[in-house]
Amino acid sequence: MKNKKFNFTKLILLSVAISTAVVSCERDLSEDAVFATNSNTGEIFTDAPVELGSDFYFPFLGSKPTAWSIDNNEGYESSASMRIDVPNANDPEGNYAGAIFRVEGQGRDLSGYNALTFWGKASQGVNIGELGFGLDFIEDKYQTTISNTSFGTSWTKYIIPIPDASKLFDERGLFWYSAGTQETGGFGYTFWIDDLKFENLGTLGNPRPEIYNGEDPISQAFLGNSGVLDTPRVVFNLPSGMNQTVSASPSYFDWSSSEPSIVEIRDSGTIQMLSSGTSVITATMAGVQATGSVTIEVVGEFVFAPTPTRDPADVISIFSDAYDDVPVEFYNGYWQPFQTTLSDDFAINGDNILNYTNFNFVGNQFREPTIDITENPNLHINMLIPGEIPPNLDFLISIINFDGDGVENGRQQVFFNSSDFEADTWSTLEIPITLSNKDGLGLLIYENVNGSTLSNFYLDNIYFY
């Protein structure tokens, strides 16, 4: 079974418990009846956590669990703030800091606010990877994110606009953050957050929603194919006159298929290909038409990769429905600013396929923990290139080993060219691993080198044996 961590947001329909009163002609509902409502408290942290309950802090997997604390010596016009100590990259307790803040019990009614705001500063100039709200480790329906936010050494106010507050009447995921080390040296740092709260800013406005980056791509799919909707963006005007872009869960949007008998949009945030033909997917947010669309051409039955037959006891699987996969951090490591590769992964009748588009290079990372392939020193990959094989194809696979401190101590590189593939046919790539160190495998990198023109391909059954 695949342990999937693709580069898209988890989209799970929020189950809202609605109490319905059945009123008969003999018993009318009293005019004095009082309905339970969720708290509309906007404050999350002002010198201390506000109405979160005793169990509210949940670190991400791999994060240093003690990264967060309350600092009673620092605060924005106050005596205390939240302190986050980002660890060094080689810290054995965790190589980054990340967690959610979740209210216990019922969620809060945030429909009267239009932004999450806070004051922040850092021990040095840094970019904080991700900040937002809407993650609760339960349904994560309304995840909202700002990325690569610049923190300086002086207190500054930050604003995360809410894409459509009318949907946040029962929200438990009040705040989340994810921060890694600096690119040079892998050293940690500290940043502080204070006066964390939802508020209604009268000068915040002009939301401009976008799907598919405001463009109109054309995508090919197969009968039975299912996939996820795009992670949209919304651009807001801030009170300062600057723009703020947030990534928003598809659940904020109302999606439409021009031909629902060909491509059906489902409540779970997925699309399902039902018949051959073409359909255009568009969306609105809070009544505003989003720029961008995607045209999906459903072209017929998909031919699956050969089913593996090796004994599971002899296999360490990275990605395959035939075996249980080891923990994988990601299948598309997006290494800015040079990577262009995107993921358009899909599943057909429960069989999951990796699909890389706009390809230049991409990685499958499984470094937490690494794997020992000393007794399984061969790599198997099934790969399919749809359409014509580029005549100048130069496809490089790098297999990388790490020592106990996370430092690379071995790299094997294998090239494949046009003669190794046949168009629209699954090729089987078998690679004997010749590395002297095989006890800390943690990364596979695929690269399009020497000016070859490969732009789209599928992978399945990636495993060591």
Side-chain angles (χ1 to χ4, degrees), residues 102 176 225 252:
R102 184 178 76 194
W176 68 276
N225 197 171
Y252 281 112

Side-chain angles (χ1 to χ4, degrees), residues 6 34 38 82 84 92 108-109 111 154-155 161 165 223 233 237 241 244 247 270 273 293 336 352 373:
F6 302 143
V34 177
N38 290 342
M82 301 196 308
I84 295 98
R108 292 189 187 179
D109 182 354
S111 58
S154 299
W155 287 106
L223 284 176
R233 304 183 305 186
N237 289 346
Q244 176 66 71
S247 297
T270 62
M273 318 310 162
S293 68
Q336 295 182 353
N352 295 281
I373 64 161

Side-chain angles (χ1 to χ4, degrees), residues 261-440:
S261 63
I262 296 174
V263 179
E264 180 185 52
I265 299 173
R266 298 189 169 179
D267 290 338
S268 59
T270 62
I271 51 178
Q272 186 72 35
M273 318 310 162
L274 302 179
S275 61
S276 297
T278 300
S279 182
V280 180
I281 307 301
T282 56
T284 62
M285 189 206 74
V288 179
Q289 184 68 45
T291 58
S293 68
V294 61
T295 299
I296 300 178
E297 300 175 346
V298 184
V299 296
E301 299 287 345
F302 183 75
V303 177
F304 293 98
T307 301
T309 58
R310 289 188 170 94
D311 187 338
D314 298 328
V315 168
I316 300 174
S317 179
I318 305 301
F319 184 89
S320 177
D321 284 305
Y323 304 109
D324 291 332
D325 294 341
V326 299
V328 175
E329 293 174 72
F330 48 70
Y331 291 105
N332 185 344
Y334 195 80
W335 296 306
Q336 295 182 353
F338 303 110
Q339 181 177 336
T340 63
T341 307
L342 300 174
S343 286
D344 193 15
D345 308 310
F346 57 88
I348 299 178
N349 300 326
D351 194 327
N352 295 281
I353 308 295
L354 293 177
N355 181 18
Y356 296 117
T357 63
N358 200 30
F359 173 65
N360 65 342
F361 62 88
V362 70
N364 303 157
Q365 182 164 306
F366 40 94
R367 290 179 57 182
E368 297 294 337
T370 57
I371 59 176
D372 185 345
I373 64 161
T374 304
E375 302 300 323
N376 305 77
N378 302 279
L379 175 61
H380 171 103
I381 299 176
N382 286 124
M383 179 172 172
L384 184 148
I385 300 173
E388 184 179 350
I389 303 295
N392 62 340
L393 178 61
D394 211 350
F395 186 76
L396 171 63
I397 300 178
S398 299
I399 304 108
I400 302 175
N401 200 81
F402 299 88
D403 65 18
D405 293 324
V407 177
E408 180 181 331
N409 66 356
R411 176 182 295 231
Q412 179 179 342
Q413 296 186 311
V414 182
F415 286 88
F416 295 90
N417 56 41
S418 303
S419 64
D420 295 307
F421 301 95
E422 181 180 344
D424 296 314
T425 301
W426 285 99
S427 299
T428 297
L429 311 181
E430 305 281 11
I431 304 172
I433 307 302
T434 59
L435 292 169
S436 57
N437 297 310
K438 302 183 184 71
D439 57 350

Side-chain angles (χ1 to χ4, degrees), residues 43-353:
E43 288 78 12
I44 302 169
F45 184 96
T46 51
D47 292 343
V50 179
E51 298 181 15
L52 297 183
S54 59
D55 191 18
F56 62 86
Y57 183 78
F58 298 87
F60 292 133
L61 180 67
S63 166
K64 186 169 184 174
T66 57
W68 179 85
S69 63
I70 296 177
D71 191 330
N72 291 308
N73 297 310
E74 282 282 358
Y76 171 71
E77 297 183 348
S78 65
S79 59
S81 65
M82 301 196 308
R83 174 181 174 132
I84 295 98
D85 293 305
V86 180
N88 293 336
N90 61 355
D91 192 316
E93 295 184 39
N95 61 4
Y96 77 105
I100 69 167
F101 292 72
R102 184 178 76 194
V103 64
E104 280 188 325
Q106 286 183 295
R108 292 189 187 179
D109 182 354
L110 304 174
S111 58
Y113 306 104
N114 64 3
L116 174 65
T117 69
F118 60 89
W119 289 81
K121 73 170 189 174
S123 58
Q124 63 187 69
V126 294
N127 288 328
I128 306 301
E130 293 180 313
L131 299 157
F133 59 89
L135 280 180
D136 59 10
F137 289 171
I138 301 173
E139 284 141 338
D140 301 335
K141 188 176 183 184
Y142 295 113
Q143 180 178 346
T144 305
T145 309
I146 60 174
S147 301
N148 296 319
T149 302
S150 177
F151 272 47
T153 56
S154 299
W155 287 106
T156 302
K157 187 171 184 177
Y158 297 88
I159 298 171
I160 306 177
I162 300 175
D164 181 1
S166 68
K167 296 179 181 291
L168 301 186
F169 54 84
D170 187 21
E171 182 58 61
R172 296 187 65 193
L174 302 184
F175 178 66
W176 68 276
Y177 72 91
S178 178
T181 59
Q182 294 303 281
E183 293 182 3
T184 303
F187 295 113
Y189 53 90
T190 298
F191 67 99
W192 294 264
I193 288 176
D194 201 1
D195 279 2
L196 176 64
K197 61 185 177 182
F198 289 92
E199 60 178 316
N200 195 5
L201 302 174
T203 52
L204 179 68
N206 192 24
R208 302 180 296 284
E210 299 178 352
I211 61 173
Y212 296 93
N213 296 319
E215 300 175 353
D216 302 290
I218 298 174
S219 178
Q220 194 176 85
F222 302 90
L223 284 176
N225 197 171
S226 62
V228 297
L229 295 168
D230 179 54
T231 298
R233 304 183 305 186
V234 188
V235 183
F236 289 84
N237 289 346
L238 296 180
S240 65
M242 302 292 288
N243 289 334
Q244 176 66 71
T245 300
V246 300
S247 297
S249 290
S251 300
Y252 281 112
F253 285 62
D254 296 314
W255 298 81
S256 175
S257 171
S258 65
E259 299 293 340
S261 63
I262 296 174
V263 179
E264 180 185 52
I265 299 173
R266 298 189 169 179
D267 290 338
S268 59
T270 62
I271 51 178
Q272 186 72 35
M273 318 310 162
L274 302 179
S275 61
S276 297
T278 300
S279 182
V280 180
I281 307 301
T282 56
T284 62
M285 189 206 74
V288 179
Q289 184 68 45
T291 58
S293 68
V294 61
T295 299
I296 300 178
E297 300 175 346
V298 184
V299 296
E301 299 287 345
F302 183 75
V303 177
F304 293 98
T307 301
T309 58
R310 289 188 170 94
D311 187 338
D314 298 328
V315 168
I316 300 174
S317 179
I318 305 301
F319 184 89
S320 177
D321 284 305
Y323 304 109
D324 291 332
D325 294 341
V326 299
V328 175
E329 293 174 72
F330 48 70
Y331 291 105
N332 185 344
Y334 195 80
W335 296 306
Q336 295 182 353
F338 303 110
Q339 181 177 336
T340 63
T341 307
L342 300 174
S343 286
D344 193 15
D345 308 310
F346 57 88
I348 299 178
N349 300 326
D351 194 327
N352 295 281
I353 308 295

Side-chain angles (χ1 to χ4, degrees), residues 18-37:
I18 302 175
S19 299
T20 55
V22 179
V23 183
S24 71
C25 59
E26 298 179 0
R27 192 173 212 174
D28 293 331
L29 187 66
S30 168
E31 294 181 359
D32 298 326
V34 177
F35 293 96
T37 58

